[in-house]
Amino acid sequence: MSGSKTVPNALGPAWASWLGIVAVVFGILLTAANVNEWMIQRVITSDGAAMQGMKPRCPEDELLEEGISLEECKLMIAKVRIMVVSRPNWFRDFQMSLSLIGAIIAFGSIFVGLALVQYSNWAPRAAVVTFSALLVIDALGFAAATNTGPLLRATYLWNILLWFSIHLIMAAGACAGQHIKDTD
Amino acid sequence: MQTQNFTTTAVIMHWLIAVSIFFLFISSWWMLALPFPSIDFKYRVFPFQLHKNLGITIVFMLIILLYVRLRYRPTPVFSAGERPLLLRLAFLDHVILYILIFTCCISGYMSSSYSGWSTTLWWVLELPHWGYEDEELNMFYSDIHLWTCWALLAFVSVHVGGALYHAFRNDGFVRRMLRL
């Protein structure tokens, strides 16, 4: 650590700093969540062992290693079966595409957040576009999840509604920021 | 060498590590609820391989980040009203974060080594099998992996909380790690 100190970088308006850091934090979480959703759909196929009536393997040493009971181990198969049984045929492909696009836009939103904190000239408009795109992704995901069975709706809907609310706040904030910038 | 901000490499590594860590947390909670692997049940194979690949990659990214951070140190930012104790705590949080990330990744790899499962880095490079199948050592490293990861999540929360605090104050601190 050096003893010399410097003044802060040139500061933009407070709203841009606040919205920017929020976009970065949520962008990181949403990118991770979308890649995870893509992986879930990739791994759980309709023709896997869980759908062929096979019994899961539950050796005692592995139960001990993961700290779970025999009952829990047997129920793990239900997690896979719920996904396969409750989703319509089109859901897997749709969800994989949507989560991939969502991951890309969410990753982009991290950089939009960085640009907002720096208060780059293009950042407010890019924020409006990016956060609105995330809203559309949420709406599409919500519409898709409402067309699944109740077991998947219970898993997805509340989660998506939460993200929709977050993106609505961010998009409204970006629009307000853009308006402030235009009137300045 | 001193610079005003963090280097582009440091910034990119920082954010890539951040996304990777959160993905590893979220995906691990999900994949550990999948049926145990067997000849028929292969649900865990892809998620575990991806988990190990990312964990190993994080170690390399962390080494690069540490190198560029030590090689090109940004000058500390002066902020009115900044308390020296907070600065010292922030420094300590960073050091603990680096140690936890490193320990978490290495213990995960060691646990895997003693589990009898092989690791092919990004499905291309077969990594040497340092360990042998040993349930006790697997459990030992697995426990270290588990607890260091929980601790990491706690310290990441402190780190993010600190970053938010500075961003809401708009005092220029976080701006240095947000500049490409």
Side-chain angles (χ1 to χ4, degrees), chain B residues 158-180:
Chain B
V158 173
H159 181 69
V160 173
L164 287 167
Y165 168 78
H166 285 294
F168 289 147
R169 282 186 68 192
N170 199 19
D171 58 11
F173 258 69
V174 290
R175 203 167 292 252
R176 299 179 310 162
M177 197 37 107
L178 297 170
R179 184 189 288 273
L180 281 173

PDB file of all heavy atoms in Angstrom, chain B residues 158-180:
ATOM      1  N   VAL B 158     -20.010  -8.935   2.428  1.00  0.00           N
ATOM      2  CA  VAL B 158     -19.374  -7.747   3.026  1.00  0.00           C
ATOM      3  C   VAL B 158     -18.753  -6.890   1.918  1.00  0.00           C
ATOM      4  O   VAL B 158     -18.902  -5.652   1.891  1.00  0.00           O
ATOM      5  CB  VAL B 158     -18.296  -8.167   4.055  1.00  0.00           C
ATOM      6  CG1 VAL B 158     -17.517  -6.950   4.562  1.00  0.00           C
ATOM      7  CG2 VAL B 158     -18.938  -8.916   5.221  1.00  0.00           C
ATOM      8  N   HIS B 159     -18.064  -7.565   0.984  1.00  0.00           N
ATOM      9  CA  HIS B 159     -17.393  -6.897  -0.134  1.00  0.00           C
ATOM     10  C   HIS B 159     -18.411  -6.122  -0.989  1.00  0.00           C
ATOM     11  O   HIS B 159     -18.207  -4.946  -1.299  1.00  0.00           O
ATOM     12  CB  HIS B 159     -16.684  -7.973  -0.964  1.00  0.00           C
ATOM     13  CG  HIS B 159     -15.922  -7.469  -2.136  1.00  0.00           C
ATOM     14  ND1 HIS B 159     -14.774  -6.727  -2.026  1.00  0.00           N
ATOM     15  CD2 HIS B 159     -16.130  -7.615  -3.468  1.00  0.00           C
ATOM     16  CE1 HIS B 159     -14.322  -6.436  -3.231  1.00  0.00           C
ATOM     17  NE2 HIS B 159     -15.130  -6.960  -4.122  1.00  0.00           N
ATOM     18  N   VAL B 160     -19.508  -6.801  -1.341  1.00  0.00           N
ATOM     19  CA  VAL B 160     -20.544  -6.157  -2.165  1.00  0.00           C
ATOM     20  C   VAL B 160     -21.192  -5.014  -1.387  1.00  0.00           C
ATOM     21  O   VAL B 160     -21.433  -3.928  -1.938  1.00  0.00           O
ATOM     22  CB  VAL B 160     -21.618  -7.190  -2.611  1.00  0.00           C
ATOM     23  CG1 VAL B 160     -22.778  -6.500  -3.329  1.00  0.00           C
ATOM     24  CG2 VAL B 160     -21.000  -8.244  -3.525  1.00  0.00           C
ATOM     25  N   GLY B 161     -21.436  -5.245  -0.092  1.00  0.00           N
ATOM     26  CA  GLY B 161     -22.014  -4.197   0.754  1.00  0.00           C
ATOM     27  C   GLY B 161     -21.131  -2.957   0.772  1.00  0.00           C
ATOM     28  O   GLY B 161     -21.627  -1.830   0.659  1.00  0.00           O
ATOM     29  N   GLY B 162     -19.841  -3.158   0.890  1.00  0.00           N
ATOM     30  CA  GLY B 162     -18.887  -2.049   0.889  1.00  0.00           C
ATOM     31  C   GLY B 162     -18.898  -1.297  -0.437  1.00  0.00           C
ATOM     32  O   GLY B 162     -18.890  -0.059  -0.473  1.00  0.00           O
ATOM     33  N   ALA B 163     -18.945  -2.070  -1.529  1.00  0.00           N
ATOM     34  CA  ALA B 163     -18.959  -1.454  -2.867  1.00  0.00           C
ATOM     35  C   ALA B 163     -20.229  -0.626  -3.048  1.00  0.00           C
ATOM     36  O   ALA B 163     -20.188   0.496  -3.578  1.00  0.00           O
ATOM     37  CB  ALA B 163     -18.872  -2.543  -3.941  1.00  0.00           C
ATOM     38  N   LEU B 164     -21.363  -1.173  -2.590  1.00  0.00           N
ATOM     39  CA  LEU B 164     -22.628  -0.432  -2.690  1.00  0.00           C
ATOM     40  C   LEU B 164     -22.573   0.857  -1.864  1.00  0.00           C
ATOM     41  O   LEU B 164     -23.030   1.914  -2.303  1.00  0.00           O
ATOM     42  CB  LEU B 164     -23.793  -1.313  -2.219  1.00  0.00           C
ATOM     43  CG  LEU B 164     -24.209  -2.441  -3.167  1.00  0.00           C
ATOM     44  CD1 LEU B 164     -25.124  -3.425  -2.464  1.00  0.00           C
ATOM     45  CD2 LEU B 164     -24.906  -1.891  -4.404  1.00  0.00           C
ATOM     46  N   TYR B 165     -21.989   0.758  -0.673  1.00  0.00           N
ATOM     47  CA  TYR B 165     -21.858   1.921   0.211  1.00  0.00           C
ATOM     48  C   TYR B 165     -21.112   3.055  -0.510  1.00  0.00           C
ATOM     49  O   TYR B 165     -21.551   4.211  -0.517  1.00  0.00           O
ATOM     50  CB  TYR B 165     -21.121   1.491   1.481  1.00  0.00           C
ATOM     51  CG  TYR B 165     -20.650   2.607   2.371  1.00  0.00           C
ATOM     52  CD1 TYR B 165     -21.527   3.267   3.221  1.00  0.00           C
ATOM     53  CD2 TYR B 165     -19.306   2.993   2.367  1.00  0.00           C
ATOM     54  CE1 TYR B 165     -21.076   4.294   4.043  1.00  0.00           C
ATOM     55  CE2 TYR B 165     -18.846   4.008   3.177  1.00  0.00           C
ATOM     56  CZ  TYR B 165     -19.736   4.658   4.017  1.00  0.00           C
ATOM     57  OH  TYR B 165     -19.284   5.668   4.821  1.00  0.00           O
ATOM     58  N   HIS B 166     -19.992   2.691  -1.139  1.00  0.00           N
ATOM     59  CA  HIS B 166     -19.200   3.719  -1.831  1.00  0.00           C
ATOM     60  C   HIS B 166     -19.928   4.230  -3.077  1.00  0.00           C
ATOM     61  O   HIS B 166     -19.852   5.424  -3.398  1.00  0.00           O
ATOM     62  CB  HIS B 166     -17.830   3.168  -2.207  1.00  0.00           C
ATOM     63  CG  HIS B 166     -16.910   3.067  -1.029  1.00  0.00           C
ATOM     64  ND1 HIS B 166     -16.458   4.172  -0.361  1.00  0.00           N
ATOM     65  CD2 HIS B 166     -16.388   1.993  -0.387  1.00  0.00           C
ATOM     66  CE1 HIS B 166     -15.679   3.797   0.648  1.00  0.00           C
ATOM     67  NE2 HIS B 166     -15.632   2.473   0.656  1.00  0.00           N
ATOM     68  N   ALA B 167     -20.623   3.330  -3.786  1.00  0.00           N
ATOM     69  CA  ALA B 167     -21.347   3.763  -4.994  1.00  0.00           C
ATOM     70  C   ALA B 167     -22.483   4.703  -4.617  1.00  0.00           C
ATOM     71  O   ALA B 167     -22.717   5.707  -5.299  1.00  0.00           O
ATOM     72  CB  ALA B 167     -21.894   2.557  -5.739  1.00  0.00           C
ATOM     73  N   PHE B 168     -23.168   4.404  -3.512  1.00  0.00           N
ATOM     74  CA  PHE B 168     -24.273   5.271  -3.094  1.00  0.00           C
ATOM     75  C   PHE B 168     -23.743   6.618  -2.578  1.00  0.00           C
ATOM     76  O   PHE B 168     -24.418   7.637  -2.680  1.00  0.00           O
ATOM     77  CB  PHE B 168     -25.143   4.585  -2.041  1.00  0.00           C
ATOM     78  CG  PHE B 168     -25.966   3.440  -2.602  1.00  0.00           C
ATOM     79  CD1 PHE B 168     -26.254   2.325  -1.841  1.00  0.00           C
ATOM     80  CD2 PHE B 168     -26.440   3.479  -3.907  1.00  0.00           C
ATOM     81  CE1 PHE B 168     -26.999   1.271  -2.368  1.00  0.00           C
ATOM     82  CE2 PHE B 168     -27.185   2.433  -4.441  1.00  0.00           C
ATOM     83  CZ  PHE B 168     -27.467   1.329  -3.665  1.00  0.00           C
ATOM     84  N   ARG B 169     -22.532   6.595  -2.032  1.00  0.00           N
ATOM     85  CA  ARG B 169     -21.918   7.874  -1.621  1.00  0.00           C
ATOM     86  C   ARG B 169     -21.391   8.634  -2.835  1.00  0.00           C
ATOM     87  O   ARG B 169     -21.089   9.818  -2.744  1.00  0.00           O
ATOM     88  CB  ARG B 169     -20.745   7.620  -0.663  1.00  0.00           C
ATOM     89  CG  ARG B 169     -21.167   7.304   0.748  1.00  0.00           C
ATOM     90  CD  ARG B 169     -19.949   7.211   1.644  1.00  0.00           C
ATOM     91  NE  ARG B 169     -19.307   8.497   1.829  1.00  0.00           N
ATOM     92  CZ  ARG B 169     -18.090   8.657   2.372  1.00  0.00           C
ATOM     93  NH1 ARG B 169     -17.409   7.593   2.768  1.00  0.00           N
ATOM     94  NH2 ARG B 169     -17.571   9.843   2.509  1.00  0.00           N
ATOM     95  N   ASN B 170     -21.228   7.877  -3.950  1.00  0.00           N
ATOM     96  CA  ASN B 170     -20.703   8.474  -5.191  1.00  0.00           C
ATOM     97  C   ASN B 170     -19.352   9.151  -4.945  1.00  0.00           C
ATOM     98  O   ASN B 170     -19.117  10.266  -5.382  1.00  0.00           O
ATOM     99  CB  ASN B 170     -21.715   9.487  -5.757  1.00  0.00           C
ATOM    100  CG  ASN B 170     -21.464   9.797  -7.221  1.00  0.00           C
ATOM    101  OD1 ASN B 170     -20.790   9.027  -7.913  1.00  0.00           O
ATOM    102  ND2 ASN B 170     -21.976  10.912  -7.691  1.00  0.00           N
ATOM    103  N   ASP B 171     -18.476   8.421  -4.204  1.00  0.00           N
ATOM    104  CA  ASP B 171     -17.214   9.030  -3.794  1.00  0.00           C
ATOM    105  C   ASP B 171     -16.020   8.643  -4.682  1.00  0.00           C
ATOM    106  O   ASP B 171     -14.885   9.008  -4.377  1.00  0.00           O
ATOM    107  CB  ASP B 171     -16.909   8.675  -2.319  1.00  0.00           C
ATOM    108  CG  ASP B 171     -16.852   7.170  -2.091  1.00  0.00           C
ATOM    109  OD1 ASP B 171     -16.843   6.416  -3.081  1.00  0.00           O
ATOM    110  OD2 ASP B 171     -16.814   6.744  -0.915  1.00  0.00           O
ATOM    111  N   GLY B 172     -16.291   7.897  -5.748  1.00  0.00           N
ATOM    112  CA  GLY B 172     -15.214   7.586  -6.698  1.00  0.00           C
ATOM    113  C   GLY B 172     -14.432   6.322  -6.404  1.00  0.00           C
ATOM    114  O   GLY B 172     -13.575   5.930  -7.193  1.00  0.00           O
ATOM    115  N   PHE B 173     -14.711   5.653  -5.282  1.00  0.00           N
ATOM    116  CA  PHE B 173     -13.961   4.450  -4.920  1.00  0.00           C
ATOM    117  C   PHE B 173     -14.195   3.320  -5.926  1.00  0.00           C
ATOM    118  O   PHE B 173     -13.249   2.779  -6.499  1.00  0.00           O
ATOM    119  CB  PHE B 173     -14.384   3.966  -3.516  1.00  0.00           C
ATOM    120  CG  PHE B 173     -13.416   4.331  -2.435  1.00  0.00           C
ATOM    121  CD1 PHE B 173     -13.253   5.653  -2.056  1.00  0.00           C
ATOM    122  CD2 PHE B 173     -12.671   3.357  -1.797  1.00  0.00           C
ATOM    123  CE1 PHE B 173     -12.363   6.005  -1.067  1.00  0.00           C
ATOM    124  CE2 PHE B 173     -11.775   3.703  -0.800  1.00  0.00           C
ATOM    125  CZ  PHE B 173     -11.623   5.028  -0.427  1.00  0.00           C
ATOM    126  N   VAL B 174     -15.478   2.941  -6.088  1.00  0.00           N
ATOM    127  CA  VAL B 174     -15.774   1.790  -6.941  1.00  0.00           C
ATOM    128  C   VAL B 174     -15.552   2.093  -8.425  1.00  0.00           C
ATOM    129  O   VAL B 174     -15.374   1.179  -9.223  1.00  0.00           O
ATOM    130  CB  VAL B 174     -17.225   1.276  -6.761  1.00  0.00           C
ATOM    131  CG1 VAL B 174     -17.413   0.636  -5.426  1.00  0.00           C
ATOM    132  CG2 VAL B 174     -18.231   2.370  -6.981  1.00  0.00           C
ATOM    133  N   ARG B 175     -15.556   3.370  -8.748  1.00  0.00           N
ATOM    134  CA  ARG B 175     -15.358   3.782 -10.139  1.00  0.00           C
ATOM    135  C   ARG B 175     -14.085   3.171 -10.732  1.00  0.00           C
ATOM    136  O   ARG B 175     -14.012   2.858 -11.910  1.00  0.00           O
ATOM    137  CB  ARG B 175     -15.263   5.307 -10.183  1.00  0.00           C
ATOM    138  CG  ARG B 175     -15.587   5.949 -11.487  1.00  0.00           C
ATOM    139  CD  ARG B 175     -15.753   7.426 -11.235  1.00  0.00           C
ATOM    140  NE  ARG B 175     -16.936   7.679 -10.439  1.00  0.00           N
ATOM    141  CZ  ARG B 175     -18.039   8.224 -10.925  1.00  0.00           C
ATOM    142  NH1 ARG B 175     -18.091   8.574 -12.187  1.00  0.00           N
ATOM    143  NH2 ARG B 175     -19.086   8.427 -10.164  1.00  0.00           N
ATOM    144  N   ARG B 176     -13.080   2.964  -9.864  1.00  0.00           N
ATOM    145  CA  ARG B 176     -11.803   2.448 -10.371  1.00  0.00           C
ATOM    146  C   ARG B 176     -11.921   1.009 -10.853  1.00  0.00           C
ATOM    147  O   ARG B 176     -11.204   0.571 -11.738  1.00  0.00           O
ATOM    148  CB  ARG B 176     -10.731   2.551  -9.282  1.00  0.00           C
ATOM    149  CG  ARG B 176     -10.495   3.980  -8.856  1.00  0.00           C
ATOM    150  CD  ARG B 176      -9.462   4.055  -7.768  1.00  0.00           C
ATOM    151  NE  ARG B 176      -9.739   3.125  -6.688  1.00  0.00           N
ATOM    152  CZ  ARG B 176      -8.828   2.740  -5.792  1.00  0.00           C
ATOM    153  NH1 ARG B 176      -7.608   3.187  -5.883  1.00  0.00           N
ATOM    154  NH2 ARG B 176      -9.154   1.909  -4.826  1.00  0.00           N
ATOM    155  N   MET B 177     -12.823   0.228 -10.225  1.00  0.00           N
ATOM    156  CA  MET B 177     -13.001  -1.155 -10.635  1.00  0.00           C
ATOM    157  C   MET B 177     -14.109  -1.278 -11.674  1.00  0.00           C
ATOM    158  O   MET B 177     -14.430  -2.358 -12.140  1.00  0.00           O
ATOM    159  CB  MET B 177     -13.318  -2.014  -9.395  1.00  0.00           C
ATOM    160  CG  MET B 177     -13.143  -3.513  -9.562  1.00  0.00           C
ATOM    161  SD  MET B 177     -11.773  -4.037 -10.582  1.00  0.00           S
ATOM    162  CE  MET B 177     -10.616  -4.667  -9.389  1.00  0.00           C
ATOM    163  N   LEU B 178     -14.693  -0.145 -12.042  1.00  0.00           N
ATOM    164  CA  LEU B 178     -15.780  -0.152 -13.021  1.00  0.00           C
ATOM    165  C   LEU B 178     -15.332   0.528 -14.312  1.00  0.00           C
ATOM    166  O   LEU B 178     -16.136   0.906 -15.136  1.00  0.00           O
ATOM    167  CB  LEU B 178     -17.003   0.578 -12.458  1.00  0.00           C
ATOM    168  CG  LEU B 178     -17.641  -0.050 -11.212  1.00  0.00           C
ATOM    169  CD1 LEU B 178     -18.679   0.869 -10.613  1.00  0.00           C
ATOM    170  CD2 LEU B 178     -18.271  -1.384 -11.534  1.00  0.00           C
ATOM    171  N   ARG B 179     -14.017   0.706 -14.446  1.00  0.00           N
ATOM    172  CA  ARG B 179     -13.503   1.414 -15.632  1.00  0.00           C
ATOM    173  C   ARG B 179     -12.713   0.433 -16.484  1.00  0.00           C
ATOM    174  O   ARG B 179     -11.778  -0.200 -15.998  1.00  0.00           O
ATOM    175  CB  ARG B 179     -12.574   2.544 -15.176  1.00  0.00           C
ATOM    176  CG  ARG B 179     -12.040   3.409 -16.291  1.00  0.00           C
ATOM    177  CD  ARG B 179     -10.976   4.322 -15.744  1.00  0.00           C
ATOM    178  NE  ARG B 179     -11.530   5.377 -14.901  1.00  0.00           N
ATOM    179  CZ  ARG B 179     -11.965   6.545 -15.364  1.00  0.00           C
ATOM    180  NH1 ARG B 179     -11.908   6.802 -16.654  1.00  0.00           N
ATOM    181  NH2 ARG B 179     -12.437   7.449 -14.554  1.00  0.00           N
ATOM    182  N   LEU B 180     -13.103   0.313 -17.754  1.00  0.00           N
ATOM    183  CA  LEU B 180     -12.371  -0.595 -18.646  1.00  0.00           C
ATOM    184  C   LEU B 180     -11.278   0.144 -19.394  1.00  0.00           C
ATOM    185  O   LEU B 180     -11.414   1.325 -19.632  1.00  0.00           O
ATOM    186  CB  LEU B 180     -13.327  -1.238 -19.653  1.00  0.00           C
ATOM    187  CG  LEU B 180     -14.146  -2.405 -19.118  1.00  0.00           C
ATOM    188  CD1 LEU B 180     -15.168  -2.847 -20.139  1.00  0.00           C
ATOM    189  CD2 LEU B 180     -13.272  -3.578 -18.737  1.00  0.00           C
TER     190      LEU B 180
END
